[in-house]
Amino acid sequence: MAILLENASVVTLNATKPILEARQILIDDGTIAQVGRKIHTEGTPITKRIDCSGMIVMPGLVNAHCHLTEILQKSFRDNMRMEIWRGYRATTEDLAKLTAAEIGTAAELACSEMLKNGVTAVVDHFSTRPGLSVDKMEAVLGAFEKTGIRGMLVPSLRDQDFIRLATQSNGRKSAKQTAPEPWREEVLTVLARLRRTRSHCGMMLGPSSPMNCSDALLREVVNVAEQFDLGIHTHLLETRLQSWAAHQIYKKPLCVHLARIGFLSSRLSTAHSVWLDDREIDLLASSGASAVHNPASNLKLGSGIAPVAKLKSRGVNVALGTDGGDTSDSYSIFEQMRLAAYLSRVVAEDPTNWITAAEALRMGTVNSAQAVPAWRGKIGMIRSGYCADLILLKPSLRLRPLRDVVHQLVFCEGGQSVHTVIVAGKVVVEGGDFTQVDENSLIRRVEPISRKMHRLYSRIKKVPDRSQKITRELYKKALAAKGLPVRFLTK
Ligand SMILES: [Zn+2]
C-alpha cells in the first residue's frame, strides 16, 4: 500500500536540512521511498493521498526506556525514593498475580497512550512477577501488534539483590544468590517466533540492573546478545543508594568493573545513568554505549539530576525515556523533551551548556533510535530509505501563534496537536482516532485490573515492612557518605 503525503511542512531531523516546505513524501511498502517537491510516482499505485496543508510532518517520537505494565499502577504513589517505591510496586504485583491477558491489556493501553501522543516506537523493559514466561512475553508482543506501535521487548533479568549484597560485611563473596530464572529457553523461544513472523517488533536482553545480576549472568547476556545479534538494555546507577552500594560491593566504580567483564559496548543502552562519575562517563563513551535520560522519573522519585551535558560533551549518545506509569505518570516524550531542556538550566550557569530545543528534539527521535541497535539509521528521521514512522500535527492552540516550529514542538507542544500517526507505512491514528484500537473497550478492560491492584496496594501500605526499614537505614548511610558524585542541588 503506497501513501502520498502532499503539501507537507517537514521537520526532517536531518542536520543539514532540518525543515523542508511544500514537500511530497511517498511511502511504499512501509518505507519512505521519496521526499521531494514533485516526485514521480509512475509505477507505484497510490492507495491513499493525505493533504498535509497547514500541518507539521515529523518523525515519530521514540521512547527508549519504559515499563508498559506499570500503567496499571499509574500515579499510585508519591513522596518516596526509588527503592522504597520499587518494593511497593513489586509487592503489589506479587499479590495481583497478573495473567498474561491482563499484562497484554495493560501494554495495549500504554502503547495506545503513546501513539496518540506521537510516540511510534517503544522499548519496554519488561519485568513481571513471579517471573518471565513465554505467554507473558507474547502478550506484550501481541499489544505491539494490536496497536500497531513499533515495539522492542526487553525481558528483565536478575539473579541477586544488591541491597542484600551491600549489607554483607564482605560483599559479593559471602552473598547467597537467588536461584537464577531459567530465562534463556523462554527468551529464545519468543525470539525465534519473532524472527519467523517478520514483525516490526524486536527483542533486546535486559539485565534489571548490573548490581542485581551476577557476573556470570551478565557474561551470559553478552554471549547470547553476540550470538543472536541483539541489543542490551539495563538500568544503571539510578540512585544515590545504588552509587553508594556499588562501592560497598565492587570496591571500585561500577562501570570500571563492567568494562573489565566486557559488559560495556555499543550494543548497550543504560537507563537513568544519574550517578556515574567522570571516569565512568568516559568508559561509557569509549564503549559506544548510549545513556537514556528519564527526567520525569528522576524528578518524581528524587533520584538526582543526570549529568546530561557532561555525557554529551564526552561523546555519549543521550536518548530519552519515560520510565513507568507510576514513576513519571505519563508516557509522553514531548514531556521528556521539555523537562530535559529545563533541567539542564538548573545545573549549568552558562547558557551555552544548556540543552537547546533542537538538541532535545534530537534526543527524542534520532538519539533514541540510535540507542537501539536494530533501529539505528532506520527510524528517527524523515529521509528516503528510512522506515515510514511519522506523525502529522495539526497545530492546536498550544502551538499558536506558530513562528519557530522546532522551538515550539519542544517548549509548547504536549501531544494535543497529534492528528495522524503512521508506523511502518500503516496509518494507526487518523484525525485523532485509532484505526485499529477500540479505545472505550480497552478502558473498560483495564479499569478493573487497576482497581484490583489499587486495593492491594492500599492494604500493604498500612503494614510496616522490615525490608523497607533496612532500605531507609541504608539510604541514611548513602546520603551521609563522602566522595560520591554531586547529583542533588542541596549536596
Ligand atoms: Zn525503569
Short mmCIF file of all heavy atoms in Angstrom, two decimals, residues 189-228:
data_model
loop_
_atom_site.label_atom_id
_atom_site.label_comp_id
_atom_site.label_asym_id
_atom_site.label_seq_id
_atom_site.Cartn_x
_atom_site.Cartn_y
_atom_site.Cartn_z
N THR A 189 12.85 -18.85 22.68
CA THR A 189 11.62 -19.33 22.04
C THR A 189 10.85 -18.15 21.45
O THR A 189 10.39 -18.19 20.29
CB THR A 189 10.72 -20.06 23.08
OG1 THR A 189 11.46 -21.16 23.59
CG2 THR A 189 9.42 -20.54 22.47
N VAL A 190 10.71 -17.09 22.24
CA VAL A 190 9.97 -15.91 21.77
C VAL A 190 10.73 -15.23 20.62
O VAL A 190 10.14 -14.80 19.63
CB VAL A 190 9.74 -14.93 22.95
CG1 VAL A 190 9.08 -13.65 22.46
CG2 VAL A 190 8.87 -15.59 24.01
N LEU A 191 12.05 -15.18 20.75
CA LEU A 191 12.86 -14.55 19.69
C LEU A 191 12.70 -15.29 18.36
O LEU A 191 12.54 -14.68 17.29
CB LEU A 191 14.33 -14.53 20.12
CG LEU A 191 15.30 -13.94 19.09
CD1 LEU A 191 15.04 -12.46 18.89
CD2 LEU A 191 16.75 -14.16 19.52
N ALA A 192 12.71 -16.62 18.42
CA ALA A 192 12.58 -17.41 17.19
C ALA A 192 11.25 -17.13 16.51
O ALA A 192 11.17 -16.96 15.29
CB ALA A 192 12.71 -18.90 17.52
N ARG A 193 10.20 -17.02 17.30
CA ARG A 193 8.88 -16.73 16.73
C ARG A 193 8.85 -15.34 16.08
O ARG A 193 8.35 -15.15 14.97
CB ARG A 193 7.81 -16.81 17.82
CG ARG A 193 6.44 -16.42 17.30
CD ARG A 193 5.56 -15.86 18.41
NE ARG A 193 4.52 -15.02 17.84
CZ ARG A 193 4.52 -13.70 17.87
NH1 ARG A 193 5.49 -13.04 18.43
NH2 ARG A 193 3.55 -13.02 17.33
N LEU A 194 9.46 -14.39 16.80
CA LEU A 194 9.51 -13.02 16.30
C LEU A 194 10.18 -12.97 14.92
O LEU A 194 9.70 -12.32 13.99
CB LEU A 194 10.39 -12.20 17.23
CG LEU A 194 9.78 -11.16 18.12
CD1 LEU A 194 10.85 -10.47 18.91
CD2 LEU A 194 8.98 -10.17 17.32
N ARG A 195 11.29 -13.66 14.82
CA ARG A 195 12.07 -13.58 13.58
C ARG A 195 11.36 -14.32 12.45
O ARG A 195 11.51 -13.94 11.29
CB ARG A 195 13.48 -14.12 13.82
CG ARG A 195 14.23 -13.14 14.72
CD ARG A 195 15.70 -13.41 14.84
NE ARG A 195 16.37 -12.24 15.40
CZ ARG A 195 17.62 -12.22 15.82
NH1 ARG A 195 18.36 -13.31 15.74
NH2 ARG A 195 18.14 -11.11 16.31
N ARG A 196 10.58 -15.34 12.77
CA ARG A 196 9.83 -16.06 11.73
C ARG A 196 8.73 -15.19 11.14
O ARG A 196 8.46 -15.23 9.96
CB ARG A 196 9.18 -17.32 12.32
CG ARG A 196 10.05 -18.57 12.28
CD ARG A 196 9.19 -19.81 12.43
NE ARG A 196 8.29 -19.77 13.57
CZ ARG A 196 8.63 -20.12 14.81
NH1 ARG A 196 9.85 -20.53 15.06
NH2 ARG A 196 7.75 -20.06 15.80
N THR A 197 8.08 -14.39 12.01
CA THR A 197 6.89 -13.67 11.54
C THR A 197 7.23 -12.32 10.90
O THR A 197 6.32 -11.62 10.46
CB THR A 197 5.91 -13.43 12.71
OG1 THR A 197 6.64 -12.77 13.75
CG2 THR A 197 5.35 -14.71 13.23
N ARG A 198 8.49 -11.96 10.82
CA ARG A 198 8.93 -10.71 10.22
C ARG A 198 8.13 -9.50 10.74
O ARG A 198 7.82 -8.57 10.01
CB ARG A 198 8.78 -10.78 8.69
CG ARG A 198 9.77 -11.70 8.03
CD ARG A 198 9.53 -11.83 6.54
NE ARG A 198 9.74 -10.57 5.85
CZ ARG A 198 8.79 -9.99 5.11
NH1 ARG A 198 7.61 -10.51 5.01
NH2 ARG A 198 9.07 -8.86 4.50
N SER A 199 7.76 -9.58 11.97
CA SER A 199 7.01 -8.48 12.57
C SER A 199 7.93 -7.26 12.70
O SER A 199 9.14 -7.39 12.66
CB SER A 199 6.53 -8.96 13.94
OG SER A 199 6.44 -7.91 14.81
N HIS A 200 7.35 -6.05 12.82
CA HIS A 200 8.20 -4.89 13.03
C HIS A 200 8.55 -4.72 14.51
O HIS A 200 8.98 -3.66 14.95
CB HIS A 200 7.58 -3.62 12.45
CG HIS A 200 6.26 -3.24 13.03
ND1 HIS A 200 5.08 -3.82 12.65
CD2 HIS A 200 5.94 -2.34 13.97
CE1 HIS A 200 4.09 -3.29 13.33
NE2 HIS A 200 4.58 -2.39 14.14
N CYS A 201 8.37 -5.79 15.26
CA CYS A 201 8.78 -5.79 16.67
C CYS A 201 10.13 -6.50 16.79
O CYS A 201 10.52 -7.26 15.91
CB CYS A 201 7.77 -6.53 17.52
SG CYS A 201 6.11 -5.87 17.35
N GLY A 202 10.81 -6.27 17.89
CA GLY A 202 12.10 -6.90 18.09
C GLY A 202 12.34 -7.20 19.56
O GLY A 202 11.46 -6.99 20.40
N MET A 203 13.53 -7.65 19.85
CA MET A 203 13.85 -8.03 21.22
C MET A 203 15.28 -7.63 21.58
O MET A 203 16.17 -7.65 20.72
CB MET A 203 13.70 -9.55 21.35
CG MET A 203 13.85 -10.05 22.75
SD MET A 203 13.63 -11.83 22.79
CE MET A 203 12.03 -11.93 23.51
N MET A 204 15.47 -7.20 22.81
CA MET A 204 16.80 -6.98 23.36
C MET A 204 16.86 -7.73 24.69
O MET A 204 15.84 -8.19 25.19
CB MET A 204 17.04 -5.47 23.61
CG MET A 204 17.19 -4.65 22.34
SD MET A 204 16.98 -2.86 22.59
CE MET A 204 18.42 -2.43 23.54
N LEU A 205 18.05 -7.85 25.26
CA LEU A 205 18.18 -8.52 26.56
C LEU A 205 18.32 -7.45 27.64
O LEU A 205 19.02 -6.44 27.43
CB LEU A 205 19.40 -9.44 26.56
CG LEU A 205 19.36 -10.55 25.50
CD1 LEU A 205 20.64 -11.39 25.56
CD2 LEU A 205 18.13 -11.44 25.68
N GLY A 206 17.66 -7.67 28.80
CA GLY A 206 17.56 -6.57 29.76
C GLY A 206 17.89 -6.89 31.20
O GLY A 206 16.99 -6.95 32.04
N PRO A 207 19.19 -7.07 31.52
CA PRO A 207 19.51 -7.18 32.95
C PRO A 207 18.84 -6.04 33.72
O PRO A 207 18.96 -4.87 33.30
CB PRO A 207 21.03 -7.04 32.99
CG PRO A 207 21.49 -7.41 31.61
CD PRO A 207 20.38 -7.02 30.67
N SER A 208 18.13 -6.37 34.79
CA SER A 208 17.37 -5.35 35.52
C SER A 208 18.27 -4.17 35.88
O SER A 208 17.95 -3.02 35.60
CB SER A 208 16.79 -5.99 36.78
OG SER A 208 16.40 -5.02 37.69
N SER A 209 19.37 -4.47 36.53
CA SER A 209 20.48 -3.52 36.70
C SER A 209 21.71 -4.39 36.94
O SER A 209 21.57 -5.51 37.45
CB SER A 209 20.24 -2.55 37.87
OG SER A 209 20.59 -3.16 39.07
N PRO A 210 22.89 -3.93 36.59
CA PRO A 210 24.07 -4.81 36.74
C PRO A 210 24.24 -5.30 38.17
O PRO A 210 24.69 -6.43 38.39
CB PRO A 210 25.24 -3.92 36.31
CG PRO A 210 24.63 -2.88 35.44
CD PRO A 210 23.24 -2.65 35.98
N MET A 211 23.88 -4.47 39.15
CA MET A 211 24.09 -4.87 40.54
C MET A 211 23.10 -5.94 40.99
O MET A 211 23.32 -6.59 42.00
CB MET A 211 24.00 -3.65 41.46
CG MET A 211 25.10 -2.64 41.16
SD MET A 211 25.40 -1.53 42.53
CE MET A 211 23.85 -0.72 42.68
N ASN A 212 22.01 -6.10 40.26
CA ASN A 212 21.07 -7.18 40.58
C ASN A 212 21.34 -8.43 39.76
O ASN A 212 20.50 -9.34 39.71
CB ASN A 212 19.62 -6.71 40.35
CG ASN A 212 19.13 -5.85 41.50
OD1 ASN A 212 19.60 -5.98 42.63
ND2 ASN A 212 18.21 -4.95 41.22
N CYS A 213 22.50 -8.46 39.10
CA CYS A 213 22.87 -9.63 38.30
C CYS A 213 24.29 -10.07 38.67
O CYS A 213 25.18 -9.23 38.84
CB CYS A 213 22.87 -9.28 36.81
SG CYS A 213 21.26 -8.80 36.17
N SER A 214 24.49 -11.37 38.76
CA SER A 214 25.85 -11.88 39.00
C SER A 214 26.69 -11.63 37.74
O SER A 214 26.14 -11.44 36.64
CB SER A 214 25.79 -13.38 39.28
OG SER A 214 25.27 -14.05 38.14
N ASP A 215 28.01 -11.66 37.90
CA ASP A 215 28.88 -11.51 36.72
C ASP A 215 28.61 -12.62 35.71
O ASP A 215 28.68 -12.41 34.50
CB ASP A 215 30.35 -11.55 37.14
CG ASP A 215 30.74 -10.29 37.90
OD1 ASP A 215 29.92 -9.35 37.96
OD2 ASP A 215 31.87 -10.25 38.44
N ALA A 216 28.31 -13.82 36.23
CA ALA A 216 28.04 -14.95 35.32
C ALA A 216 26.83 -14.64 34.44
O ALA A 216 26.85 -14.91 33.23
CB ALA A 216 27.81 -16.21 36.14
N LEU A 217 25.80 -14.08 35.04
CA LEU A 217 24.60 -13.76 34.25
C LEU A 217 24.91 -12.66 33.23
O LEU A 217 24.50 -12.74 32.07
CB LEU A 217 23.45 -13.33 35.18
CG LEU A 217 22.16 -12.87 34.50
CD1 LEU A 217 21.63 -13.93 33.52
CD2 LEU A 217 21.07 -12.55 35.53
N LEU A 218 25.66 -11.63 33.65
CA LEU A 218 26.00 -10.54 32.71
C LEU A 218 26.82 -11.06 31.54
O LEU A 218 26.60 -10.68 30.38
CB LEU A 218 26.75 -9.42 33.44
CG LEU A 218 25.94 -8.67 34.51
CD1 LEU A 218 26.82 -7.62 35.21
CD2 LEU A 218 24.70 -8.00 33.93
N ARG A 219 27.77 -11.97 31.83
CA ARG A 219 28.58 -12.54 30.74
C ARG A 219 27.71 -13.39 29.81
O ARG A 219 27.88 -13.36 28.59
CB ARG A 219 29.70 -13.40 31.33
CG ARG A 219 30.83 -12.58 31.93
CD ARG A 219 32.06 -13.47 32.16
NE ARG A 219 33.17 -12.69 32.65
CZ ARG A 219 33.57 -12.65 33.93
NH1 ARG A 219 32.93 -13.36 34.83
NH2 ARG A 219 34.59 -11.91 34.29
N GLU A 220 26.77 -14.12 30.39
CA GLU A 220 25.88 -14.95 29.58
C GLU A 220 25.02 -14.05 28.66
O GLU A 220 24.82 -14.35 27.48
CB GLU A 220 24.97 -15.78 30.49
CG GLU A 220 24.15 -16.81 29.74
CD GLU A 220 23.18 -17.58 30.64
OE1 GLU A 220 23.02 -17.21 31.82
OE2 GLU A 220 22.58 -18.55 30.14
N VAL A 221 24.55 -12.93 29.21
CA VAL A 221 23.76 -11.98 28.41
C VAL A 221 24.59 -11.48 27.22
O VAL A 221 24.11 -11.44 26.09
CB VAL A 221 23.29 -10.81 29.30
CG1 VAL A 221 22.84 -9.62 28.46
CG2 VAL A 221 22.15 -11.26 30.21
N VAL A 222 25.85 -11.11 27.48
CA VAL A 222 26.71 -10.62 26.40
C VAL A 222 26.90 -11.70 25.33
O VAL A 222 26.81 -11.45 24.13
CB VAL A 222 28.07 -10.13 26.95
CG1 VAL A 222 29.05 -9.83 25.82
CG2 VAL A 222 27.87 -8.89 27.83
N ASN A 223 27.13 -12.93 25.79
CA ASN A 223 27.34 -14.04 24.83
C ASN A 223 26.11 -14.26 23.96
O ASN A 223 26.21 -14.41 22.74
CB ASN A 223 27.67 -15.34 25.57
CG ASN A 223 29.07 -15.29 26.15
OD1 ASN A 223 29.90 -14.49 25.70
ND2 ASN A 223 29.35 -16.11 27.14
N VAL A 224 24.92 -14.28 24.60
CA VAL A 224 23.69 -14.53 23.84
C VAL A 224 23.42 -13.34 22.89
O VAL A 224 23.03 -13.54 21.74
CB VAL A 224 22.48 -14.76 24.79
CG1 VAL A 224 21.18 -14.86 24.01
CG2 VAL A 224 22.70 -16.02 25.61
N ALA A 225 23.70 -12.13 23.37
CA ALA A 225 23.49 -10.94 22.51
C ALA A 225 24.39 -11.01 21.29
O ALA A 225 23.95 -10.69 20.17
CB ALA A 225 23.76 -9.67 23.32
N GLU A 226 25.64 -11.43 21.48
CA GLU A 226 26.55 -11.52 20.33
C GLU A 226 26.12 -12.64 19.39
O GLU A 226 26.10 -12.48 18.17
CB GLU A 226 27.99 -11.74 20.82
CG GLU A 226 28.58 -10.44 21.36
CD GLU A 226 29.93 -10.63 22.03
OE1 GLU A 226 30.40 -11.78 22.11
OE2 GLU A 226 30.49 -9.60 22.48
N GLN A 227 25.72 -13.76 19.97
CA GLN A 227 25.32 -14.91 19.15
C GLN A 227 24.10 -14.59 18.29
O GLN A 227 24.03 -14.99 17.12
CB GLN A 227 25.02 -16.09 20.09
CG GLN A 227 24.84 -17.40 19.35
CD GLN A 227 24.47 -18.52 20.32
OE1 GLN A 227 24.61 -18.40 21.55
NE2 GLN A 227 23.98 -19.62 19.78
N PHE A 228 23.13 -13.86 18.86
CA PHE A 228 21.88 -13.61 18.13
C PHE A 228 21.77 -12.17 17.64
O PHE A 228 20.72 -11.75 17.17
CB PHE A 228 20.68 -13.96 19.02
CG PHE A 228 20.58 -15.45 19.28
CD1 PHE A 228 21.20 -16.00 20.39
CD2 PHE A 228 19.89 -16.28 18.41
CE1 PHE A 228 21.13 -17.37 20.63
CE2 PHE A 228 19.81 -17.64 18.64
CZ PHE A 228 20.44 -18.20 19.75
#
